[in-house]
Structures are given as structure tokens and as C-alpha cells.
Amino acid sequence: MTVTGVRVRARARIVARADGRGGTALPVLDGEGPLAPRRTRSAGSWAKVVLVGAMSGPLGGDRFTLDARVEEGARLHVGSAAATLALPGQAKGEARYDVRLDVADGAELHWLPEQLISADGSDLHVTTRAELGAGARLVLREEQVLGRTGEQPGRLTSRLTVRVAGRTVLDQELSCGPGAPGGWDGPAVLAGHRAVGQMVVVRPEFATDPPAARMLGEYAALVPLAGPAALVSAVAPDALSLRRTLDQVLSALGWPTTQNISLNGT
């Protein structure tokens, strides 16, 4: 970790590798400052990592980078111990949080962090880029909450890109809060809701048997992507309602747990 003035530069790295005995090893698991990955108890072939926030942030001007690589035959589940809270800082300028996920052919990653909360006065740009091999599997959830209870949101820009075998299947950006392009709170985007979430599922089976597009209740929808992937998008009035909506989607589609996930309910 480096500190320049009141700005923090921090990086975390995770590498998951098949251990040759039917399990998954973590030969690389390190972090700096506010990024503290910790291995927790897991079962079967999975390795499980929890991201623990060791410091406040990201604050104005901070730069956080997180890289996770899942090698062939490995299975990795990553969550977080608490929500990430973007706050204003003494330093001026935008904070950045860049996440890079690489999942090899024959590997599987479940990326399920807690919510990102955009506090009043903050300015955060988040990028998540996932690169997958042709036979890789991915479950990726993102949830953003605009402001804490009773406060206005900060500026939040979030870009999510997913590529499979070198082909882009999803590239979307959402910008909310003060200074964002007009219409972000209008009926075509958040429609006054304070929480927004998306879940991307990549499975090789979807190349020949994609799930059908459909509404999932009043505020969620499932859309097949141009490749072996599908996107679930949802909005809600608050973080609890958003998580409940996504959990109900999982239940309605026959997803008993994120360790045994199928958009077709099998």
C-alpha cells in the first residue's frame, strides 16, 4: 500500500488453483491496507475467500485494485464481510475501484460481494472486468445503494464488462448521482428507486440452450446475452429489498444455493 498526501493506493490478489486432490488451493492470497482477503472454511472442491475492509473507504482520490484468477479445474467463491462504503475525503477528485477477474477454461468463480453504498459527497468510479475461457463458469452479483438512510447519494459510475473466449457478451455502464447524465433517476433507468443490482451467469450450456427472456416480478428481468451467458437486472427502494428480490429470483428459478446454480432450474 502507498499513501500520497491523503490518497491511498492499495492492491489485492487472489489466485485459485486445483490442488490435484479434488480441491482448490490458494497459492496467492494477499492484500494491502483496506483490501484484506481472508480464506474461510469451505467444503468439497471449493475454496472460499472473504474480503474484509481493514480501513474506511474508498475516499476521494483513493485507488483500489483487486485481481482474482481462477485456474483450470479450480472453484472459487468470493464474498465480503460487510458493505463497501464510498465516502468523501479530504483529497479532491474521483476515487477508483478496479476489479479484474480471470476464469480459465474448466474453472468456476462465484463473485458475490456485499452492497456498494454511495454516501453523500462521494465520487467513485468502479470497473469490473471478467475474462473467461470458453468452458468457464461464472456467477457475478453487483448491488449498488444510492445514499445511506435519509441522505442524498454521491456520484457513482459503475462499468461491468464480461468477455468469453475473447468475445464481449456484456459491456454496460451506469452513472448515478450529482453530475451524472440526465435521466438516471427517470422511468427508463431507476424510476426513483435507491438500489440497483445485476447478476451475470455464464455457463457453457447456454450456448445451445439459452434461458428465455422474461420479467421476474415487477422490478426484475432476465435477459439472455449474445453468448453462453444471461443477465438478471433489478431495482428496489433499498438494499434489503434488492437482496430479497434477487433471492426470490433465485428461488423462483430453482436456484437453491449459489453453489448449485442454473438459470433453467436444473
Side-chain angles (χ1 to χ4, degrees), residues 4 10 58 80-81 86 89 142 147 162-163 188 200 214 224 234 247 259-260 265:
T4 305
S80 56
E142 289 191 341
V162 179
R163 289 166 50 86
V200 180
R214 70 195 98 162
D247 285 347
Q259 300 291 345
N260 182 22

Side-chain angles (χ1 to χ4, degrees), residues 15-19 22-26 39 42 44-47 70 73-76:
V15 175
R17 181 175 298 159
D19 64 8
T24 297
L26 297 173
R39 182 163 193 166
S42 56
S45 59
W46 289 84
V70 189
R75 306 178 81 187
L76 176 65

Side-chain angles (χ1 to χ4, degrees), residues 17 34 39 42 49 52 99 103 113 137 142 170 172-173 182 264:
R17 181 175 298 159
R39 182 163 193 166
S42 56
V49 173
V52 178
V99 177
V103 189
R137 298 173 183 268
E142 289 191 341
L170 177 67
Q172 68 176 23
E173 182 173 288
N264 294 320

Side-chain angles (χ1 to χ4, degrees), residues 1-2 6 8 11 32 44 48 54 70 98 104 170 197 222 241:
M1 180 181 72
T2 60
V6 291
V8 175
R11 177 182 294 271
E32 303 170 324
K48 187 173 183 180
V70 189
D98 298 314
L170 177 67
L222 166 66
S241 299

